[in-house]
Amino acid sequence: MSKINVNQEIKKIENILKQLIQSNDPTLEIASHHLLSSGGKRVRPLFVILSSHIGQDKGNIAAYDVAAALELIHMATLVHDDVIDYSDKRRGNPTIEKKWDKPTAILTGNFLLAKAVEHLSNIKDYRIHQVLSSAILEVCRGELFQFQDQFRTKQSITNYLRRINRKTALLIQLATQVGAMTSNADEKTIQKMKMIGHNIGMSFQIVDDVLDFTSTEKKLGKPVGSDLRNGHMTLPVLLEMKRIPSFADKIEKLHPHASEAQFDECINQIRQSPVIQDSLDISQRYLHKAEVLLDSINNDDVKPLFKKLIKKLQTRMR
């Protein structure tokens, strides 16, 4: 049996995050705390901690530095996403922009990112800095591409997959890759952990994009179909446009000021379409790749916990 207590690890990360968002500026601190206290699965830091038990130097302090920093980076991207999308709700609570204003939201996102970079300065391993700095640049590019792709119907599924790789998969990939690096795992194992994180991250985002159509406002913490209402062409939309050319005509008529009825018609069509299951099948293929790689890892302490997390992802599909 594994000696890692997942609940204790999450509590430890929560405490570190509460300390890190302290600021001399009360507005920045309160706004950051508003986002932190609204919940979150803490998937990224948990994957860092689990992966930091892969090698010989298990669960060292650098793993906790990376875990907290990645969650702060993730939180920063959420705040900036909400500004770009003019979102009113995040996890059922008012967004920072809605509760305060746009400048406060942008500055809070910048503050969280700066805190993450500052916290990472504690890490001595140059390789980790190199990997993280390159990845943060890619995340920024992903944010830009998502903004540029809003309401752009002429985009391929490959384009979508690249976008979600930068938006979601990259931070989960970093969590497993850098987590393994902090434990002094060998290069082959680090690469396997990197690909496990990538595949889990791709699956995770595709499921999120499906749930945006199939779930309820109460569970989502935001209106059903928010992605499409914000002009984001996710996998179910792209597959439905490919399946029924006349649907592409409906999507092309959407714009930020289109009527509720126009959006509702498109959202309801996707909810009833076989593309929902097609999207989940693609997500499952990514998870299967992660499971195959996981089986090749020689660590019986961590593997059951990873498999438990993968099972939770599969449960989200239902």
Side-chain angles (χ1 to χ4, degrees), residues 86-109:
Y86 303 101
S87 298
D88 290 339
K89 283 186 176 182
R90 164 71 62 183
R91 297 168 183 153
N93 294 319
T95 58
I96 292 175
E97 180 179 0
K98 183 73 176 174
K99 194 171 172 68
W100 283 271
D101 50 40
K102 186 178 285 189
T104 301
I106 293 168
L107 290 169
T108 302

Side-chain angles (χ1 to χ4, degrees), residues 132-148:
L132 286 169
S133 57
S134 299
I136 291 168
L137 281 172
E138 282 300 299
V139 169
C140 292
R141 288 181 71 200
E143 293 282 304
L144 178 62
F145 292 149
Q146 178 167 291
F147 175 66
Q148 291 172 338

Side-chain angles (χ1 to χ4, degrees), residues 39-237:
K41 305 173 192 75
R42 308 293 180 241
V43 169
R44 291 149 198 84
L46 190 50
F47 277 133
V48 174
I49 301 306
L50 292 184
S51 302
S52 75
H53 287 260
I54 288 290
Q56 298 301 313
D57 190 5
K58 300 181 188 299
N60 63 65
I61 191 67
Y64 291 93
D65 290 337
V66 172
L70 281 187
E71 190 66 4
L72 289 176
I73 293 166
H74 171 59
M75 288 168 63
T77 65
L78 295 182
V79 178
H80 289 156
D81 268 353
D82 289 340
V83 171
I84 291 166
D85 292 337
Y86 303 101
S87 298
D88 290 339
K89 283 186 176 182
R90 164 71 62 183
R91 297 168 183 153
N93 294 319
T95 58
I96 292 175
E97 180 179 0
K98 183 73 176 174
K99 194 171 172 68
W100 283 271
D101 50 40
K102 186 178 285 189
T104 301
I106 293 168
L107 290 169
T108 302
N110 293 350
F111 167 71
L112 292 168
L113 189 57
K115 279 287 186 177
V117 173
E118 180 186 49
H119 194 55
L120 288 169
S121 66
N122 296 324
I123 295 171
K124 302 292 186 283
D125 190 334
Y126 173 73
R127 297 175 307 154
I128 291 175
H129 286 287
Q130 203 169 30
V131 169
L132 286 169
S133 57
S134 299
I136 291 168
L137 281 172
E138 282 300 299
V139 169
C140 292
R141 288 181 71 200
E143 293 282 304
L144 178 62
F145 292 149
Q146 178 167 291
F147 175 66
Q148 291 172 338
D149 282 342
Q150 278 181 299
F151 291 101
R152 191 172 71 82
T153 55
K154 298 289 190 288
Q155 54 181 285
S156 65
I157 289 171
T158 301
N159 187 76
Y160 160 80
L161 293 173
R162 281 179 187 150
R163 192 170 68 242
I164 69 166
N165 177 45
R166 290 188 175 102
K167 178 187 173 185
T168 301
L170 192 57
L171 285 182
I172 296 178
Q173 171 184 309
L174 271 179
T176 53
Q177 178 188 7
V178 178
M181 288 170 81
T182 65
S183 72
N184 287 322
D186 61 84
E187 193 57 39
K188 189 176 178 181
T189 302
I190 290 169
Q191 286 306 307
K192 281 184 182 179
M193 294 306 299
K194 174 183 176 180
M195 292 314 298
I196 287 169
H198 167 76
N199 286 305
I200 290 173
M202 295 295 283
S203 173
F204 190 88
Q205 186 57 50
I206 292 169
V207 172
D208 263 9
D209 292 344
V210 169
L211 290 174
D212 189 60
F213 289 103
T214 62
S215 192
T216 63
E217 183 168 347
K218 187 178 179 182
K219 287 182 180 176
L220 291 169
K222 58 182 181 178
V224 173
S226 288
D227 288 335
L228 185 57
R229 295 178 200 277
N230 289 321
H232 302 314
M233 302 295 134
T234 56
L235 186 58
V237 177

